Amino acid sequence: MQFFSSKPNLCFFSIAPFVTAYRAILEMVSREPRIFSGEGARLRCSIPDVYGSTWHYQWFRGSEQLAQTGEDLVLWNANVRDGGKFYCKGVRNTEVGRTHTLQSLPVEITVDGGWAILQVPPHPGIVGDALTVTCRLRHNFPLHEVILYRDGVKVKRQTGLNLQFHLTNLTLEDNGMYSCRASWDANRRTYSVISAEIPVQVLETVTEPVLEIVDNPSLESRMTLICNVQYNAPAPAPPIIYYFYKNGKRLGTATSENHDLVRQSPGKYSCKATGIQPTITQQPLTSFKPSPPTPPTPAPPALSINQTAPPATDNSATLSQESDDVSGGSGDMPEESGDTSGNTPETV
């Protein structure tokens, strides 16, 4: 911002920080975003600066600014309260003053004080595909059984030391909150540990299309047909092909564009989006005045999902005898020396 004085040929400039168009990029370098207490994790911040400028870094956990200023943020011997949503941004001094980037998107780290963690892929599953989840344990117990639950109901059981579960031919019914339980025998007793619940999301490859009809005042007797879908196939993925119809007859040729400019006339309009599963939607037009846009929020023709589902609120697991009910708890493992390798579970 520039200010002028009452004297000629003099002006003053404000020293407010200048925000660039760059957005900092934050990523996990090591381990999963859910770790056991006593373990560590590393985050790395980068700036997509094509000019190779030298940047310093600011780190945040929630609204709290952290002391670290380097490119990497390392959590050592973490405990439950060290978890949270982390952000970063770049800062540097320039001739026009202090400049900083847009803050990065968050990366969440959960520190679990229990004995078992269910690890799931960071991306949603796709209908018809397969998904592998892993029941990770704090120690290598002599297991005899591992069970996978969805919304508290047993869905898979396996014996032996195999801690991976393969969910094949996914459907929308596979959505839910998942946990795992591992059991073993020792000293003539049965021990059991269960993980906190974590969400698993399954999406359609191509959602049901929504046809939108938009008037074009600048183009007399013309209107635009827009076929809105959400495309959830992971990259690289083939493009979606769109078809537009009037009264069941196709308008023009297939196109990779999700819109078509057509002559305004009464009729029943529809569109089809062909990915892996072709689907059709219809929209009637009874007069020369087009219908208002369909209420659902339009989605881009090739939209990728990298949402992260919200984390489970329970960050720990319980230890119990096999005959007892399994339920969640909270808190860190004992921290006499910061190393839990020597601790063994006790029966309740």
Side-chain angles (χ1 to χ4, degrees):
M1 183 179 296
Q2 182 174 329
F3 300 93
F4 291 91
S5 71
S6 57
K7 297 181 180 181
N9 303 323
L10 291 178
C11 66
F12 303 94
F13 292 88
S14 70
I15 57 173
F18 175 71
V19 181
T20 71
Y22 299 127
R23 180 179 293 278
I25 299 173
L26 181 58
E27 59 181 344
M28 287 282 300
V29 176
S30 61
R31 291 193 178 275
E32 299 286 330
R34 182 179 289 266
I35 61 176
F36 285 120
S37 56
E39 295 182 331
R42 182 186 295 269
L43 296 171
R44 178 163 296 163
C45 188
S46 60
I47 311 299
D49 183 355
V50 296
Y51 300 104
S53 304
T54 300
W55 293 89
H56 301 284
Y57 301 89
Q58 291 180 347
W59 289 91
F60 303 85
R61 180 175 56 215
S63 58
E64 173 194 6
Q65 184 171 349
L66 305 177
Q68 287 84 347
T69 57
E71 182 182 14
D72 288 2
L73 173 68
V74 181
L75 299 181
W76 299 103
N77 192 23
N79 56 50
V80 171
R81 61 181 175 271
D82 290 328
K85 290 185 177 181
F86 291 83
Y87 305 82
C88 71
K89 64 180 178 181
V91 180
R92 70 188 184 97
N93 293 320
T94 67
E95 294 181 356
V96 296
R98 192 171 177 82
T99 300
H100 62 82
T101 68
L102 298 173
Q103 187 170 265
S104 71
L105 297 177
V107 169
E108 184 160 12
I109 295 179
T110 302
V111 183
D112 196 306
W115 293 88
I117 290 175
L118 184 64
Q119 294 178 333
V120 303
H123 52 79
I126 303 299
V127 169
D129 287 353
L131 197 67
T132 298
V133 299
T134 303
C135 190
R136 179 172 171 247
L137 303 180
R138 188 183 286 272
H139 297 299
N140 294 322
F141 299 118
L143 302 176
H144 67 72
E145 180 183 72
V146 185
I147 299 176
L148 181 68
Y149 298 91
R150 180 182 66 238
D151 298 328
V153 178
K154 180 171 67 177
V155 293
K156 279 182 176 290
R157 174 185 176 274
Q158 55 197 29
T159 58
L161 302 178
N162 185 13
L163 296 174
Q164 288 190 329
F165 293 93
H166 302 286
L167 307 176
T168 59
N169 194 24
L170 294 172
T171 68
L172 295 180
E173 294 181 355
D174 291 314
N175 278 293
M177 299 296 294
Y178 283 72
S179 61
C180 65
R181 185 178 70 173
S183 303
W184 71 97
D185 295 325
N187 301 322
R188 293 183 298 178
R189 307 183 92 167
T190 297
Y191 297 84
S192 178
V193 295
I194 187 167
S195 72
E197 289 186 319
I198 188 168
V200 171
Q201 187 179 21
V202 180
L203 303 173
E204 293 276 10
T205 304
V206 179
T207 61
E208 186 75 20
V210 176
L211 182 65
E212 181 181 350
I213 301 177
V214 179
D215 194 8
N216 290 281
S218 60
L219 298 174
E220 187 177 355
S221 300
R222 293 281 177 174
M223 63 185 183
T224 301
L225 304 178
I226 304 175
C227 195
N228 294 305
V229 298
Q230 184 172 310
Y231 193 23
N232 297 314
I240 294 180
I241 303 300
Y242 297 91
Y243 303 85
F244 294 91
Y245 300 85
K246 176 185 176 183
N247 298 329
K249 295 183 179 181
R250 197 166 81 185
L251 299 171
T253 59
T255 175
S256 60
E257 300 289 340
N258 76 325
H259 53 84
D260 191 17
L261 185 65
V262 299
R263 185 172 64 87
Q264 191 180 88
S265 62
K268 191 172 186 179
Y269 292 83
S270 62
C271 71
K272 179 172 73 172
T274 305
I276 297 176
Q277 299 284 341
T279 50
I280 297 179
T281 187
Q282 293 187 344
Q283 174 75 28
L285 185 68
T286 56
S287 67
F288 285 94
K289 183 177 179 57
S291 304
T294 312
T297 303
L303 180 62
S304 298
I305 302 297
N306 189 349
Q307 279 114 6
T308 308
T313 57
D314 187 355
N315 292 332
S316 63
T318 60
L319 177 69
S320 67
Q321 292 189 39
E322 181 70 17
S323 59
D324 294 337
D325 291 336
V326 180
S327 61
S330 63
D332 282 350
M333 298 299 301
E335 297 183 9
E336 295 181 2
S337 63
D339 182 4
T340 61
S341 60
N343 296 329
T344 56
E346 299 291 337
T347 57
V348 178

